[in-house]
């Protein structure tokens, strides 16, 4: 059965998207943005008070990398917090009155399933590569942002394989199409990974600073401070190339270059003691602290609409 304090399987998550939507019809709607390579649905939830005119929006995805199980757990937590605190928490109420939040709870569904059934440390998609017996592409090397120029591999057997072309992966194409089609409303792009306790922003494909560097850094530092205030978890903020490593083809850089100014990658707990195998006992504290950072960024975006 589904629980917010365990690592749910894809079938539990998919069933949960239906129950959370039907239990909160005035706040949540569900759409399928396309199918995965293996034919599963890519389910997107839209959270927000319905309005006559189109609302500005924040897009957040989880589960790019299969083994980073805390990431889909956070997206589920966020949706639950949104629906349970709307009407009582003034920041959440105001956010969902003024904006919509699109939440993709699992991007790499096929990989997530494979990490449950076959290989707990799987990272990539599950697409077949022509001329190789190695499977999968790194979806966070597969976007059209300096594609495959640095920190990515053209070897299909590598865990950072960039794919045969930008958006070769159907999952990347589905998300990129959705964001392109809603470019005029999407004001922020948040992508949730683990681990390392970092709050990253463009660029990763170059050491050059983004045009909005100082604002992105200021907001990241405010968000990190909010996160730390709950349990003392230390985060580092900065541009990806200098803070984690240079790597091209990321969705964050792609969204930023498309014009989505507030583009952030979270690397959630921990710093390596458990790494990807973060115990379920840490789901609740990790999600509660991360909520504060996401709400800080959302409030800044909302203030600057
Ligand atoms: O390498 C990645 O894709 C991310 N780290 S992870 O350990 N979760 O794989 C960092 C992404 C930072 N942004 C870009 N490289 N564009
Ligand atoms: Zn990742
Ligand atoms: Zn809470």
């Amino acid at each position: 059965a589904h629980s917010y304090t365990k690592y749910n399987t894809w079938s539990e998550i998919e069933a949960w998207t239906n129950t959370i939507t039907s239990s909160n019809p005035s706040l949540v709607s569900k759409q399928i943005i396309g199918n995965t390579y293996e034919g599963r649905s890519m389910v997107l939830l839209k959270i927000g008070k319905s309005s006559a005119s189109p609302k500005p929006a924040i897009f957040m995805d989880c589960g790019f990398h299969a083994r980073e199980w805390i990431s889909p757990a956070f997206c589920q937590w966020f949706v639950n917090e949104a629906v349970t605190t709307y009407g009582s928490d003034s920041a959440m109420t105001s956010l969902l009155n003024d904006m919509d939040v699109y939440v993709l709870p699992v991007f790499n569904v096929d990989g997530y399933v494979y990490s449950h059934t076959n290989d707990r440390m799987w990272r990539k998609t599950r697409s077949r590569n022509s001329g190789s017996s190695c499977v999968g592409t790194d979806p966070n090397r597969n976007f059209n942002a300096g594609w495959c120029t640095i920190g990515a591999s053209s070897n299909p057997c590598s865990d950072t394989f960039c794919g045969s072309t930008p958006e070769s992966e159907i999952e990347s194409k589905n998300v990129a199409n959705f964001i392109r089609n809603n470019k005029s409303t999407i004001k922020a792009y948040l992508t949730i990974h683990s681990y390392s306790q970092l709050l990253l922003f463009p660029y990763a494909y170059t050491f050059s600073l983004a045009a909005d560097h100082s604002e992105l850094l200021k907001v990241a530092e405010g968000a990190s401070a909010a996160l730390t205030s709950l349990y003392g978890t230390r985060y580092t903020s900065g541009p990806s190339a200098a803070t984690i490593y240079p790597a091209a083809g990321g969705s964050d850089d792609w969204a930023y270059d498309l014009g989505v100014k507030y583009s952030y990658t979270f690397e959630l707990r921990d710093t390596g003691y458990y790494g990807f195998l973060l115990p379920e006992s840490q789901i609740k504290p990790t999600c509660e602290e991360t909520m504060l950072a996401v709400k800080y960024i959302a409030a800044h975006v909302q203030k600057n609409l």
Side-chain angles (χ1 to χ4, degrees), residues 195-196 198 200 204 238-246 267:
Y195 59 89
S196 289
L198 303 173
L200 304 168
S240 296
T243 307
I244 177 166
Y245 38 63
E267 294 280 1

Side-chain angles (χ1 to χ4, degrees), residues 57-170:
I58 295 171
F59 186 99
M60 178 167 73
D61 59 53
C62 291
F64 252 68
H65 291 138
R67 63 194 174 195
E68 299 167 10
W69 286 7
I70 188 62
S71 166
F74 176 71
C75 270
Q76 293 163 70
W77 192 279
F78 178 89
V79 173
N80 185 243
E81 287 278 321
V83 301
T84 58
T85 66
Y86 180 83
S88 58
D89 179 86
S90 61
M92 186 61 81
T93 307
S94 160
L95 176 68
L96 299 179
N97 284 341
D98 292 359
M99 301 189 77
D100 292 321
V101 184
Y102 289 107
V103 179
L104 182 67
V106 185
F107 171 102
N108 178 9
V109 184
D110 298 344
Y112 187 73
V113 169
Y114 193 76
S115 73
H116 281 258
T117 57
N118 291 71
D119 179 357
R120 177 65 185 82
M121 291 301 279
W122 192 256
R123 167 178 170 94
K124 300 188 287 179
T125 63
R126 291 295 303 162
S127 62
R128 300 316 184 250
N129 292 307
S130 77
S132 173
S133 60
C134 293
V135 169
T137 287
D138 183 343
N140 214 28
R141 301 291 181 278
N142 191 234
F143 284 72
N144 197 5
W147 180 74
C148 221
T149 53
I150 190 169
S153 175
S154 54
N155 177 356
C157 299
S158 167
D159 244 357
T160 57
F161 178 49
C162 59
S164 54
T165 61
E167 299 178 22
S168 59
E169 302 313 285
I170 184 67

Side-chain angles (χ1 to χ4, degrees), residues 170-225:
I170 184 67
E171 297 85 357
S172 312
K173 182 149 251 55
N174 289 338
V175 165
N177 281 340
F178 182 86
I179 295 175
R180 275 190 288 261
N181 291 339
N182 294 278
K183 185 176 136 56
S184 61
T185 57
I186 296 176
K187 307 300 174 193
Y189 173 75
L190 306 179
T191 182
I192 312 297
H193 289 251
S194 76
Y195 59 89
S196 289
Q197 295 174 195
L198 303 173
L199 185 43
L200 304 168
F201 51 87
Y203 285 107
Y205 71 75
T206 173
F207 284 93
S208 300
L209 297 185
D212 303 293
H213 176 84
S214 44
E215 184 183 3
L216 290 169
L217 178 61
K218 186 193 67 162
V219 173
E221 286 178 340
S224 297

